[in-house]
Amino acid sequence: MTALSLGDIYQARKRLAGRVRQTPLVHSPALSALAGGPVHLKMESHQITGSFKLRGAANAVACLDDAQRQRGVVTASTGNHGRAVAHAARQRGMRAVICLSSLVPQNKIQAVRELGAEVCIHGDSQDDALERATRFVAEEGLVMVPPFDHPDVIAGQGTVGLEILEQLPDAGSVVVPLSGGGLLSGIALAVKSARPAMAVVGVTMEAGCAMHASLQAGHPVQVDETPTLADSLGGGIGLDNRFTFSMVRDLCDRTLLTSESAIAAAVVHMYRQEREVVEGAAAVGAAALMEGAVKDLVSRGPMVLVVSGRNIDMARHMDLLARSASSSS
Ligand SMILES: *Cc1c(COP(=O)(O)O)cnc(C)c1O
């Protein structure tokens, strides 16, 4: 049973009006030629804060009552979710605390501070940081905004699905980057409620995807984390996962894995052919398409690839471009 319904996503959209962007959906001639049918890109990389995560974070913040708003929010993410929570809290003049481990590089700490959030450095692992965040909830009454496994977060991410349905009413499939599964759960709930025949495919990296391993095991499992270009797709799904595991299991037609070299090639493609800077996690759909893994989907009608964010380290981005230039000459 799903705790969420399409109505929750419509309510999220009302709450988010004026607070997030409706992102463009653009046709890609190059990827369409490769796929043998129309391919469109849903550019969440153009979202405020550089990723779709603002939708879920801003919806969760909007759902708080006055007393909770007075106390503020806390989370333990260094990446796109932390950025989104900091931005959403500042928009409403609320306190936000982002707990980070001592291993987080200085530039990331600086980026969170620039968004007006308090940074609390604790321990030397993500688990330590999360434990500190949990203590803020117990001791100071801050409200935890989790990165994916929360109904208000999932409903916010689902607004991407509503926009796709409106921007491309005859879409036959949507390909979604997959980690904790908040984005895929929300989009799948939105599109399948309106158009059950539309296929929803999750794509993730070969290197350590907890959701993929959990689906295969039939229950949430932990996996070892390995370095990947798709760094925003790292991390577990929580052994006590409440929502996204069952939603992904029930609503997702298929999950695919992409290699590091395919992700690198896709980031380069997105820059050279589409003229877009995207991070590795956002390029996994293009990577799967370029590897031929989603070719069968074009027979269903126009395909949408969700391009989920653009927050790549720019030195790394330039390095990928330089390497591909030297290998192709
Ligand atoms: C968080 C994130 C994802 C994965 O979203 P989940 O809801 O965890 O599956 C994909 N791409 C980017 C850029 C992200 O920040």
Side-chain angles (χ1 to χ4, degrees):
M1 205 197 78
T2 301
L4 273 169
S5 71
L6 183 61
D8 295 309
I9 302 178
Y10 276 105
Q11 290 199 339
R13 174 142 81 175
K14 274 198 200 139
R15 287 186 206 103
L16 294 177
R19 297 189 177 273
V20 305
R21 278 185 199 134
Q22 159 149 348
T23 54
L25 186 87
V26 295
H27 177 249
S28 165
L31 291 174
S32 299
L34 267 181
V39 176
H40 300 254
L41 304 170
K42 178 61 173 162
M43 300 305 299
E44 278 301 297
S45 51
H46 290 213
Q47 189 52 264
I48 303 164
T49 71
S51 85
F52 73 88
K53 288 278 196 326
L54 183 62
R55 296 175 186 261
N59 188 48
V61 162
C63 289
L64 300 179
D65 63 30
D66 286 345
Q68 290 172 318
R69 236 170 251 182
Q70 291 281 320
R71 295 198 295 269
V73 288
V74 61
T75 195
S77 156
T78 61
N80 289 331
H81 176 65
R83 210 184 262 238
V85 168
H87 178 89
R90 183 161 71 173
Q91 287 292 303
R92 297 197 179 252
M94 283 167 46
R95 180 181 182 201
V97 179
I98 313 291
C99 298
L100 307 174
S101 87
S102 60
L103 298 182
V104 171
Q106 199 60 38
N107 62 331
K108 282 201 168 178
I109 295 174
Q110 197 51 36
V112 173
R113 288 213 172 104
E114 278 165 17
L115 282 167
E118 292 166 44
V119 173
C120 173
I121 312 278
H122 182 81
D124 49 21
S125 72
Q126 175 62 19
D127 285 348
D128 288 345
L130 186 61
E131 186 198 295
R132 184 70 191 87
T134 309
R135 232 165 68 215
F136 270 107
V137 174
E139 291 172 2
E140 301 192 30
L142 297 190
V143 180
M144 180 84 81
V145 182
F148 52 87
D149 199 29
H150 189 289
D152 299 335
V153 173
I154 297 167
Q157 321 306 28
T159 60
V160 176
L162 297 183
E163 289 178 20
I164 291 171
L165 289 169
E166 289 161 5
Q167 291 169 313
L168 193 68
D170 64 340
S173 61
V174 53
V175 178
V176 186
L178 174 63
S179 176
L183 180 62
L184 190 142
S185 296
I187 289 177
L189 182 60
V191 304
K192 297 251 180 195
S193 305
R195 300 191 53 196
M198 196 159 150
V200 177
V201 173
V203 187
T204 185
M205 69 289 180
E206 274 167 6
C209 174
M211 183 60 86
H212 184 79
S214 300
L215 291 170
Q216 295 214 305
H219 56 88
V221 295
Q222 250 162 347
V223 295
D224 289 338
E225 275 204 48
T226 40
T228 168
L229 253 180
D231 51 283
S232 291
L233 300 184
I237 68 164
L239 293 178
D240 55 352
N241 186 291
R242 292 178 60 206
F243 302 101
T244 57
F245 173 71
S246 57
M247 287 182 77
V248 172
R249 182 192 60 204
D250 298 345
L251 297 171
C252 181
D253 293 84
R254 188 184 337 157
T255 58
L256 298 171
L257 303 178
T258 50
S259 66
E260 290 300 305
S261 61
I263 297 170
V267 170
V268 171
H269 169 92
M270 288 298 296
Y271 185 75
R272 290 238 176 90
Q273 309 290 320
E274 317 292 344
R275 312 281 160 141
E276 298 283 349
V277 173
V278 308
E279 57 180 285
V284 292
L289 191 154
M290 290 161 68
E291 286 186 311
V294 291
K295 264 209 144 101
D296 58 301
L297 292 178
V298 291
S299 65
R300 293 168 170 267
M303 186 191 310
V304 176
L305 308 183
V306 177
V307 180
S308 49
R310 63 156 185 237
N311 295 324
I312 187 170
D313 179 74
M314 285 314 282
R316 188 155 209 203
H317 192 263
M318 282 188 264
D319 185 49
L320 288 175
L321 293 173
R323 276 168 203 257
S324 83
S326 60
S327 67
S328 62
S329 61

